[in-house]
Amino acid sequence: MTGTLNLVAGTPDFTTTGSALQTAAIQAGDAIITATGYVLIIAEITGQNSGRLFDNCPVAAAGDGQPLRVRYQPDGSRVQAAVRMVRELLTTGNLEAFAALAGEEDAVPVFVGPGVMKLVPKSEFGPDDTKGNLAALAALENIANLTELAAIAKANDQFIVMGADGTITLKSIKSVTDAIAEYATAIGEKYTLPAGGTEDQLIDGDGALTAKSDLPISQATQSALNSKAEAAATQSALEGKLSLSGGQMTGTVNGKTPPNSGNNQHGFFCGASFGSYDSTYNRSSPFVTRAQSAGSHFALSMKLMYAHAHESNPGATYSGTYALGVLNPNIANPGAFNILHTNADNQANKVWSFSGDSGGLNVPGPISKASGTWKIDHPLDPANKILRHGFVEAPEYVNIYRGVVRLVNGKATVNIDEYFGMMFGTFWAVNTDIMVSSLQNQEGDTVVWPEGKMTGGILNITCAHETCNDEIAWMVTGRRRDPYVILVDPNCERGTGRFIPEFDKED
């Protein structure tokens, strides 16, 4: 990234020149690497050339006109940064103050100081003003309250007129009565109402009585009646039948509710759509990314909606929507087939994506299976044989890192993040219970060992002979501790991320 960096010791604020941070999509969680090697995590971008760090700038990292180097963070690290920010926001005492309140009917929690709240009766806030009428009254000049308003209206022979948009005006009573008199005179001059009319008669435009049966039907009314009769005839002919070949079906197809199964009642209907599925740009939709533009997302789509009751909670109904579709070729991941689940609150989640080009499957949540393998054409005989290997399983989520390094004068250092091309700090951010599982001299029998516990993803290796330059094979393992397993994964304990290998079956 071009531009220079200005840091002030002891403060989190920083500035740049010629960098366009917002245009470059720099975000919270990305890291600034200073000329002295410090890695400073960004908490907020406040402008094209300004922002704030999570921590105050160290003295050794401060200075003006430094070369600007920014390292983008992966999504997992951004989640960690967001979690850290939420944790810091919860230390203000506001959440504790709210939790300490005992709820009361028609009472509203109100802050009375930093981290201090109390309940105030709703009646103290005055009547509801959902249409803005009270605000409009308050906006009238020289009117302090409703009593004064009523006195002004009475004294000036006026009344209050409330507009549909919430505006209020004072109107003369005489002007309204004069207008009514004008209309009455005009009607009396135009129409002389005939006497002796019956309930089967109407007054036509000339003021004469006409039988209802003699009134003509407009062309639009007749056309609507004809269309309704034709639709009824078509529905009767198609009752119980549906056969389409080469045609197009849109809208909703209602499915018959299946019979009850024990105490569980289920029902569904299916809606099919050919063409565009959704032409509205919706940033909350998992199908829309920053690289996509507004327009149709699906070239072909289908919705499955469901609703059911369960014996464990007879009074509740569980409902949602599954949307299946093939993405249009003009947006990200063309030709992919996606399954989207939307709950009853219209919150989209759990998108399964099948890649149209590579045959890959992306699943955002956990997968449970009885067994698993990878299977490929045999590299030595691809035309006649299949090669497969079974998955390696464990009663915990284990990350495995292995490689080789050469000793120099009996010493070697491995930076695991650098070795695997990962961002600095990644290994330490996603692992706990770290173990050096294996160290093996590949070229001799000289003994090697790790120098104490690993810190920050750095493995230090020492050899018994100070002049040894052999190649050493190493392996390090760690248990996952990223935010997903700690906060989201249903297979893990909340707070620790430890995998739960055993659980009771559902009835």
Side-chain angles (χ1 to χ4, degrees):
M1 172 171 285
T2 60
T4 59
L5 172 66
N6 305 313
L7 292 169
V8 179
T11 69
D13 297 313
F14 67 89
T15 60
T16 62
T17 57
S19 60
L21 300 175
Q22 293 172 327
T23 303
I26 305 301
Q27 301 181 27
D30 294 338
I32 293 177
I33 304 176
T34 68
T36 54
Y38 279 82
V39 179
L40 308 177
I41 306 302
I42 296 173
E44 179 185 10
I45 296 298
T46 58
Q48 289 284 26
N49 289 285
S50 61
R52 292 176 62 84
L53 305 172
F54 269 111
D55 299 312
N56 292 335
C57 175
V59 175
D64 295 336
Q66 303 183 49
L68 177 61
R69 293 185 295 171
V70 177
R71 178 175 291 167
Y72 288 88
Q73 293 288 76
D75 290 341
S77 298
R78 295 193 194 283
V79 171
Q80 282 188 306
V83 170
R84 179 177 178 182
M85 180 179 293
V86 170
R87 184 182 63 189
E88 292 178 354
L89 291 174
L90 294 179
T91 60
T92 61
N94 293 337
L95 187 62
E96 289 82 353
F98 184 77
L101 295 176
E104 298 179 7
E105 185 176 358
D106 292 329
V108 180
V110 175
F111 281 103
V112 295
V116 181
M117 299 186 74
K118 72 174 184 177
L119 292 176
V120 177
K122 184 179 177 182
S123 58
E124 293 188 14
F125 294 94
D128 292 335
D129 190 25
T130 56
K131 295 185 178 180
N133 296 331
L134 295 179
L137 284 171
L140 290 176
E141 296 182 0
N142 302 321
I143 297 177
N145 51 52
L146 293 178
T147 303
E148 185 177 348
L149 175 64
I152 292 174
K154 182 178 180 181
N156 293 278
D157 197 22
Q158 295 172 319
F159 62 91
I160 302 170
V161 179
M162 185 73 66
D165 58 353
T167 59
I168 295 177
T169 58
L170 296 176
K171 195 171 184 67
S172 168
I173 296 176
K174 187 176 184 304
S175 65
V176 175
T177 57
D178 289 346
I180 294 174
E182 282 185 30
Y183 285 125
T185 301
I187 293 173
E189 292 175 351
K190 186 173 182 179
Y191 297 106
T192 299
L193 300 179
T198 67
E199 63 180 11
D200 295 326
Q201 294 175 314
L202 296 174
I203 301 175
D204 63 16
D206 297 325
L209 290 173
T210 303
K212 292 181 182 179
S213 58
D214 294 338
L215 292 177
I217 299 177
S218 68
Q219 184 177 355
T221 303
Q222 186 63 55
S223 177
L225 292 174
N226 292 342
S227 298
K228 185 173 182 180
E230 291 173 1
T234 302
Q235 179 64 39
S236 177
L238 292 178
E239 192 67 34
K241 304 174 184 178
L242 178 59
S243 177
L244 292 178
S245 177
Q248 179 171 336
M249 181 174 63
T250 62
T252 300
V253 179
N254 292 321
K256 182 178 180 182
T257 302
N260 292 347
S261 174
N263 291 325
N264 299 329
Q265 296 82 39
H266 304 270
F268 76 96
F269 68 91
C270 168
S273 174
F274 297 83
S276 65
Y277 171 73
D278 179 10
S279 60
T280 303
Y281 183 77
N282 182 358
R283 284 297 298 271
S284 66
S285 169
F287 292 114
V288 180
T289 67
R290 279 182 281 181
Q292 297 175 4
S293 61
S296 302
H297 304 320
F298 281 152
L300 168 65
S301 67
M302 180 172 66
K303 279 188 176 181
L304 297 176
M305 299 185 179
Y306 66 89
H308 67 86
H310 193 272
E311 59 185 350
S312 63
N313 192 359
T317 299
Y318 305 90
S319 62
T321 301
Y322 287 98
L324 301 84
V326 179
L327 288 176
N328 276 335
N330 62 338
I331 60 177
N333 198 14
F337 185 83
N338 293 266
I339 301 177
L340 164 68
H341 177 260
T342 304
N343 63 21
D345 295 327
N346 202 30
Q347 295 174 334
N349 51 35
K350 300 182 180 178
V351 180
W352 285 31
S353 178
F354 301 84
S355 173
D357 297 328
S358 65
L361 168 65
N362 178 66
V363 179
I367 297 177
S368 297
K369 57 184 178 57
S371 64
T373 64
W374 57 256
K375 184 173 68 172
I376 61 172
D377 292 336
H378 201 295
L380 301 181
D381 189 4
N384 300 302
K385 286 188 176 294
I386 294 292
L387 180 65
R388 63 184 180 184
H389 279 30
F391 292 173
V392 176
E393 314 287 0
E396 60 179 354
Y397 291 157
V398 178
N399 296 320
I400 301 175
Y401 306 83
R402 66 190 190 95
V404 294
V405 65
R406 185 166 294 279
L407 296 170
V408 177
N409 295 327
K411 299 281 187 178
T413 297
V414 179
N415 184 324
I416 294 182
D417 290 329
E418 183 176 275
Y419 190 92
F420 289 101
M422 300 186 298
M423 188 174 302
F424 176 79
T426 300
F427 174 86
W428 200 249
V430 299
N431 288 283
T432 187
D433 296 341
I434 299 167
M435 302 178 186
V436 180
S437 303
S438 174
L439 288 176
Q440 182 184 21
N441 192 328
Q442 299 287 89
E443 298 177 345
D445 56 2
T446 305
V447 177
V448 293
W449 61 87
E451 288 186 2
K453 290 185 177 181
M454 290 183 59
T455 302
I458 305 299
L459 171 62
N460 294 310
I461 303 173
T462 299
C463 180
H465 293 171
E466 295 181 354
T467 59
C468 182
N469 296 318
D470 292 345
E471 185 180 77
I472 307 299
W474 54 269
M475 184 168 72
V476 174
T477 62
R479 178 173 63 82
R480 278 183 62 181
R481 68 164 180 181
D482 54 89
Y484 182 84
V485 299
I486 293 175
L487 303 174
V488 180
D489 195 334
N491 297 317
C492 298
E493 292 179 350
R494 291 292 179 269
T496 67
R498 288 189 176 276
F499 185 81
I500 305 172
E502 294 183 356
F503 53 90
D504 296 331
K505 290 184 176 181
E506 297 180 357
D507 294 335

